[in-house]
Amino acid sequence: MAVEVTWWGHASCTVEDSGVRVLTDPLFVRRLAHLRRRRGAVPPPEAAVAEAVLVSHLHSDHLHLPSLARLAPGTRLLVPDGAVRAVPGLRRLGLDVTEVTAGDEVKIDELLVRAVPARHDGRRLPVGPHRSPALGYVIEGEARTYFAGDTGLFDTMADEVGTVDVALLPVGGWGPFLGHSHLDAHRAAEALLQLAPRSAVPVHYGTYWPIGMDGVRPHEFHAPGEEFVRQARRLAPQVTVHRPAHGERVRPEVFAR
């Protein structure tokens, strides 16, 4: 067993490799501001159990202080450079916070975590200057797993990310329109052409939706996962796509070493 991935909804995943649990962008609430969880139960307490947590950028649906407060004191937390200054509440969580920028590597028990660039606005919105970059992460143990965070396509993606076995790619969002600093189902399938992983898992779709907008482009909420499977089959048939339900664990295929 090289790697297991549990998708809790939105961009929140547990990656277990070499007996080490790494949690990404935890968002463990039924409602966040104008967003309501439309699918999947709020993750159970065991979702917050991890040796390390990776935060991709400072948007409140990715760096969510109440969700981070569910972590055990002393848990390792990797955040983009400048996050502590931009989000002072991080200091009060009792976590072991490390700020990183693209290219930094951090050892987490048996794993090596490397921060990589993302094409996305990393600011803490709706206020604040652009103090922190948006990042992705490569988790290397028995397998190499790429968590893209929020990102659009960019020309150097393959060079920056390197060889990976598993790609956790955003394929949607929480609203009816996506700009080019996001991946939709088609652009995520195009990313597979650049990255050439053995397996892929679609994330960041089909969980949260603005209150009162149920009838506005509802296919953007429901369809991205299935559409990514279809587009990946067409553009990158060599990649095995796993599309877990909320709370489901999958064991992606990896390259033979």
Side-chain angles (χ1 to χ4, degrees), residues 10-12 23-26 53-59 61-64 68 77-81 83 100-101 115-123 132-137 146-151 170 204:
H10 203 53
S12 305
L23 175 64
T24 66
D25 287 355
V53 177
L54 313 180
V55 169
S56 62
H57 62 290
L58 305 193
H59 293 175
D61 59 323
H62 292 261
L63 194 167
H64 184 246
L68 292 174
L77 176 64
L78 272 58
V79 296
D81 184 50
V100 294
T101 192
V116 298
R119 181 188 175 189
H120 195 69
D121 184 346
R123 289 177 294 176
S132 293
L135 299 172
Y137 295 92
Y146 169 48
F147 169 63
D150 255 359
T151 187
H204 204 279

Side-chain angles (χ1 to χ4, degrees), residues 11 13 21 37 41 53 65 90 93 106 116-118 125 127 134 136 152 167 173 184 206 219 226-227 231 235 255:
C13 300
R21 289 168 59 95
R37 192 175 181 106
V53 177
L65 291 176
L90 282 170
L93 294 176
V106 179
V116 298
L125 299 175
V127 297
D184 60 12
H219 63 284
E226 293 180 0
E227 180 64 11
Q231 294 286 350
L235 294 177
F255 293 114

Side-chain angles (χ1 to χ4, degrees), residues 14-231:
T14 294
V15 178
E16 187 166 356
D17 188 329
S18 306
V20 182
R21 289 168 59 95
V22 175
L23 175 64
T24 66
D25 287 355
L27 185 58
F28 297 155
V29 290
R30 187 166 303 280
R31 180 173 173 177
L32 172 65
H34 65 298
L35 304 179
R36 177 167 56 94
R37 192 175 181 106
R38 290 283 312 281
R39 187 181 289 170
V42 173
E46 55 263 31
V49 177
E51 278 70 45
V53 177
L54 313 180
V55 169
S56 62
H57 62 290
L58 305 193
H59 293 175
S60 57
D61 59 323
H62 292 261
L63 194 167
H64 184 246
L65 291 176
S67 296
L68 292 174
R70 291 177 53 178
L71 303 171
T75 300
R76 294 290 301 276
L77 176 64
L78 272 58
V79 296
D81 184 50
V84 173
R85 182 175 59 175
V87 189
L90 282 170
R91 298 187 180 94
R92 299 190 289 270
L93 294 176
L95 305 175
D96 182 3
V97 180
T98 300
E99 293 190 341
V100 294
T101 192
D104 288 349
E105 296 181 339
V106 179
K107 197 82 166 59
I108 307 291
D109 294 337
E110 301 301 314
L111 305 181
L112 184 67
V113 176
R114 176 167 53 90
V116 298
R119 181 188 175 189
H120 195 69
D121 184 346
R123 289 177 294 176
R124 186 68 165 180
L125 299 175
V127 297
H130 196 157
R131 291 178 175 171
S132 293
L135 299 172
Y137 295 92
V138 176
I139 305 161
E140 183 171 353
E142 295 181 37
R144 295 186 185 96
T145 302
Y146 169 48
F147 169 63
D150 255 359
T151 187
L153 286 172
F154 54 98
D155 291 340
T156 61
M157 178 180 278
D159 292 335
E160 300 283 1
V161 173
T163 301
V164 292
D165 298 283
V166 183
L168 311 181
L169 297 178
V171 301
W174 53 253
F177 302 103
L178 287 174
H180 285 284
S181 62
H182 294 82
L183 296 179
D184 60 12
H186 180 77
R187 290 194 291 269
E190 290 183 335
L192 296 179
L193 291 174
Q194 296 189 43
L195 298 169
R198 179 69 181 87
S199 303
V201 177
V203 302
H204 204 279
Y205 76 99
T207 308
Y208 292 92
W209 202 246
I211 294 169
M213 295 188 69
D214 291 9
V216 179
R217 298 174 63 86
H219 63 284
E220 297 288 358
F221 177 82
H222 293 285
E226 293 180 0
E227 180 64 11
F228 175 69
V229 173
R230 189 180 73 83
Q231 294 286 350

